[in-house]
PDB file of all heavy atoms in Angstrom:
ATOM      1  N   ARG N 172      49.150 -89.282  62.944  1.00 93.00           N
ATOM      2  CA  ARG N 172      49.576 -87.920  62.651  1.00 93.00           C
ATOM      3  C   ARG N 172      48.739 -87.332  61.571  1.00 93.00           C
ATOM      4  O   ARG N 172      48.387 -86.155  61.559  1.00 93.00           O
ATOM      5  CB  ARG N 172      51.011 -87.907  62.158  1.00 93.00           C
ATOM      6  CG  ARG N 172      51.997 -88.293  63.195  1.00 93.00           C
ATOM      7  CD  ARG N 172      53.118 -87.196  63.211  1.00 93.00           C
ATOM      8  NE  ARG N 172      54.167 -87.670  64.153  1.00 93.00           N
ATOM      9  CZ  ARG N 172      55.325 -88.210  63.792  1.00 93.00           C
ATOM     10  NH1 ARG N 172      55.598 -88.342  62.467  1.00 93.00           N
ATOM     11  NH2 ARG N 172      56.131 -88.606  64.615  1.00 93.00           N
ATOM     12  N   LEU N 173      48.372 -88.144  60.544  1.00 95.00           N
ATOM     13  CA  LEU N 173      47.497 -87.677  59.424  1.00 95.00           C
ATOM     14  C   LEU N 173      46.163 -87.229  59.943  1.00 95.00           C
ATOM     15  O   LEU N 173      45.682 -86.143  59.595  1.00 95.00           O
ATOM     16  CB  LEU N 173      47.359 -88.818  58.397  1.00 95.00           C
ATOM     17  CG  LEU N 173      46.363 -88.537  57.332  1.00 95.00           C
ATOM     18  CD1 LEU N 173      46.979 -87.561  56.319  1.00 95.00           C
ATOM     19  CD2 LEU N 173      45.871 -89.801  56.650  1.00 95.00           C
ATOM     20  N   PHE N 174      45.608 -88.002  60.854  1.00 96.00           N
ATOM     21  CA  PHE N 174      44.290 -87.657  61.382  1.00 96.00           C
ATOM     22  C   PHE N 174      44.336 -86.431  62.228  1.00 96.00           C
ATOM     23  O   PHE N 174      43.423 -85.583  62.295  1.00 96.00           O
ATOM     24  CB  PHE N 174      43.644 -88.860  62.071  1.00 96.00           C
ATOM     25  CG  PHE N 174      42.907 -89.742  61.051  1.00 96.00           C
ATOM     26  CD1 PHE N 174      43.586 -90.814  60.480  1.00 96.00           C
ATOM     27  CD2 PHE N 174      41.612 -89.489  60.600  1.00 96.00           C
ATOM     28  CE1 PHE N 174      42.954 -91.625  59.517  1.00 96.00           C
ATOM     29  CE2 PHE N 174      40.972 -90.230  59.678  1.00 96.00           C
ATOM     30  CZ  PHE N 174      41.625 -91.342  59.147  1.00 96.00           C
ATOM     31  N   GLU N 175      45.487 -86.278  62.931  1.00 96.00           N
ATOM     32  CA  GLU N 175      45.686 -84.995  63.692  1.00 96.00           C
ATOM     33  C   GLU N 175      45.719 -83.783  62.745  1.00 96.00           C
ATOM     34  O   GLU N 175      45.137 -82.789  63.045  1.00 96.00           O
ATOM     35  CB  GLU N 175      47.023 -85.052  64.525  1.00 96.00           C
ATOM     36  CG  GLU N 175      46.898 -85.899  65.773  1.00 96.00           C
ATOM     37  CD  GLU N 175      48.321 -86.176  66.335  1.00 96.00           C
ATOM     38  OE1 GLU N 175      49.287 -85.461  66.005  1.00 96.00           O
ATOM     39  OE2 GLU N 175      48.412 -87.150  67.111  1.00 96.00           O
ATOM     40  N   LEU N 176      46.371 -83.989  61.592  1.00 95.00           N
ATOM     41  CA  LEU N 176      46.480 -82.894  60.620  1.00 95.00           C
ATOM     42  C   LEU N 176      45.073 -82.601  60.064  1.00 95.00           C
ATOM     43  O   LEU N 176      44.687 -81.432  59.974  1.00 95.00           O
ATOM     44  CB  LEU N 176      47.391 -83.342  59.497  1.00 95.00           C
ATOM     45  CG  LEU N 176      47.395 -82.435  58.241  1.00 95.00           C
ATOM     46  CD1 LEU N 176      47.922 -81.092  58.560  1.00 95.00           C
ATOM     47  CD2 LEU N 176      48.213 -83.048  57.100  1.00 95.00           C
ATOM     48  N   ILE N 177      44.300 -83.640  59.716  1.00 97.00           N
ATOM     49  CA  ILE N 177      42.932 -83.389  59.231  1.00 97.00           C
ATOM     50  C   ILE N 177      42.115 -82.658  60.242  1.00 97.00           C
ATOM     51  O   ILE N 177      41.378 -81.701  59.936  1.00 97.00           O
ATOM     52  CB  ILE N 177      42.267 -84.753  58.872  1.00 97.00           C
ATOM     53  CG1 ILE N 177      43.083 -85.306  57.618  1.00 97.00           C
ATOM     54  CG2 ILE N 177      40.831 -84.585  58.462  1.00 97.00           C
ATOM     55  CD1 ILE N 177      42.673 -86.791  57.291  1.00 97.00           C
ATOM     56  N   THR N 178      42.243 -83.057  61.535  1.00 97.00           N
ATOM     57  CA  THR N 178      41.520 -82.349  62.610  1.00 97.00           C
ATOM     58  C   THR N 178      41.933 -80.907  62.640  1.00 97.00           C
ATOM     59  O   THR N 178      41.077 -80.025  62.776  1.00 97.00           O
ATOM     60  CB  THR N 178      41.810 -82.987  63.955  1.00 97.00           C
ATOM     61  OG1 THR N 178      41.471 -84.373  63.810  1.00 97.00           O
ATOM     62  CG2 THR N 178      40.999 -82.404  65.029  1.00 97.00           C
ATOM     63  N   SER N 179      43.235 -80.588  62.509  1.00 96.00           N
ATOM     64  CA  SER N 179      43.629 -79.167  62.640  1.00 96.00           C
ATOM     65  C   SER N 179      43.171 -78.401  61.417  1.00 96.00           C
ATOM     66  O   SER N 179      42.837 -77.243  61.550  1.00 96.00           O
ATOM     67  CB  SER N 179      45.131 -79.038  62.991  1.00 96.00           C
ATOM     68  OG  SER N 179      45.896 -79.586  61.993  1.00 96.00           O
ATOM     69  N   LEU N 180      43.254 -78.944  60.235  1.00 96.00           N
ATOM     70  CA  LEU N 180      42.734 -78.251  59.038  1.00 96.00           C
ATOM     71  C   LEU N 180      41.264 -77.936  59.226  1.00 96.00           C
ATOM     72  O   LEU N 180      40.858 -76.801  58.893  1.00 96.00           O
ATOM     73  CB  LEU N 180      42.939 -79.108  57.815  1.00 96.00           C
ATOM     74  CG  LEU N 180      44.368 -79.379  57.356  1.00 96.00           C
ATOM     75  CD1 LEU N 180      44.404 -80.365  56.164  1.00 96.00           C
ATOM     76  CD2 LEU N 180      45.088 -78.086  57.010  1.00 96.00           C
ATOM     77  N   HIS N 181      40.554 -78.899  59.814  1.00 96.00           N
ATOM     78  CA  HIS N 181      39.106 -78.637  59.981  1.00 96.00           C
ATOM     79  C   HIS N 181      38.910 -77.470  61.039  1.00 96.00           C
ATOM     80  O   HIS N 181      38.115 -76.582  60.813  1.00 96.00           O
ATOM     81  CB  HIS N 181      38.495 -79.934  60.487  1.00 96.00           C
ATOM     82  CG  HIS N 181      37.000 -79.863  60.704  1.00 96.00           C
ATOM     83  ND1 HIS N 181      36.390 -80.516  61.690  1.00 96.00           N
ATOM     84  CD2 HIS N 181      36.077 -79.180  60.009  1.00 96.00           C
ATOM     85  CE1 HIS N 181      35.072 -80.248  61.626  1.00 96.00           C
ATOM     86  NE2 HIS N 181      34.913 -79.397  60.634  1.00 96.00           N
ATOM     87  N   LEU N 182      39.707 -77.502  62.084  1.00 96.00           N
ATOM     88  CA  LEU N 182      39.596 -76.432  63.102  1.00 96.00           C
ATOM     89  C   LEU N 182      40.000 -75.068  62.547  1.00 96.00           C
ATOM     90  O   LEU N 182      39.506 -74.023  62.983  1.00 96.00           O
ATOM     91  CB  LEU N 182      40.508 -76.752  64.339  1.00 96.00           C
ATOM     92  CG  LEU N 182      40.025 -77.926  65.167  1.00 96.00           C
ATOM     93  CD1 LEU N 182      41.050 -78.286  66.240  1.00 96.00           C
ATOM     94  CD2 LEU N 182      38.656 -77.587  65.800  1.00 96.00           C
ATOM     95  N   GLU N 183      40.866 -75.083  61.505  1.00 95.00           N
ATOM     96  CA  GLU N 183      41.264 -73.831  60.832  1.00 95.00           C
ATOM     97  C   GLU N 183      40.198 -73.300  59.916  1.00 95.00           C
ATOM     98  O   GLU N 183      40.377 -72.271  59.321  1.00 95.00           O
ATOM     99  CB  GLU N 183      42.611 -74.020  60.091  1.00 95.00           C
ATOM    100  CG  GLU N 183      43.778 -74.174  61.007  1.00 95.00           C
ATOM    101  CD  GLU N 183      44.995 -74.763  60.368  1.00 95.00           C
ATOM    102  OE1 GLU N 183      45.145 -74.608  59.142  1.00 95.00           O
ATOM    103  OE2 GLU N 183      45.812 -75.430  61.052  1.00 95.00           O
ATOM    104  N   GLY N 184      39.124 -74.060  59.731  1.00 95.00           N
ATOM    105  CA  GLY N 184      38.016 -73.525  58.953  1.00 95.00           C
ATOM    106  C   GLY N 184      37.767 -74.172  57.626  1.00 95.00           C
ATOM    107  O   GLY N 184      36.922 -73.774  56.897  1.00 95.00           O
ATOM    108  N   LEU N 185      38.595 -75.142  57.288  1.00 97.00           N
ATOM    109  CA  LEU N 185      38.367 -75.853  56.028  1.00 97.00           C
ATOM    110  C   LEU N 185      37.168 -76.832  56.116  1.00 97.00           C
ATOM    111  O   LEU N 185      37.130 -77.527  57.097  1.00 97.00           O
ATOM    112  CB  LEU N 185      39.612 -76.701  55.658  1.00 97.00           C
ATOM    113  CG  LEU N 185      40.434 -76.250  54.410  1.00 97.00           C
ATOM    114  CD1 LEU N 185      41.288 -75.083  54.795  1.00 97.00           C
ATOM    115  CD2 LEU N 185      41.262 -77.397  53.936  1.00 97.00           C
ATOM    116  N   ALA N 186      36.380 -76.877  55.120  1.00 98.00           N
ATOM    117  CA  ALA N 186      35.423 -77.952  54.958  1.00 98.00           C
ATOM    118  C   ALA N 186      36.164 -79.150  54.414  1.00 98.00           C
ATOM    119  O   ALA N 186      37.020 -78.993  53.519  1.00 98.00           O
ATOM    120  CB  ALA N 186      34.238 -77.559  54.063  1.00 98.00           C
TER     121      ALA N 186
END
Side-chain angles (χ1 to χ4, degrees):
R172 292 229 188 102
L173 171 76
F174 276 92
E175 283 167 19
L176 170 65
I177 293 171
T178 303
S179 60
L180 292 175
H181 183 217
L182 290 173
E183 288 163 28
L185 245 81

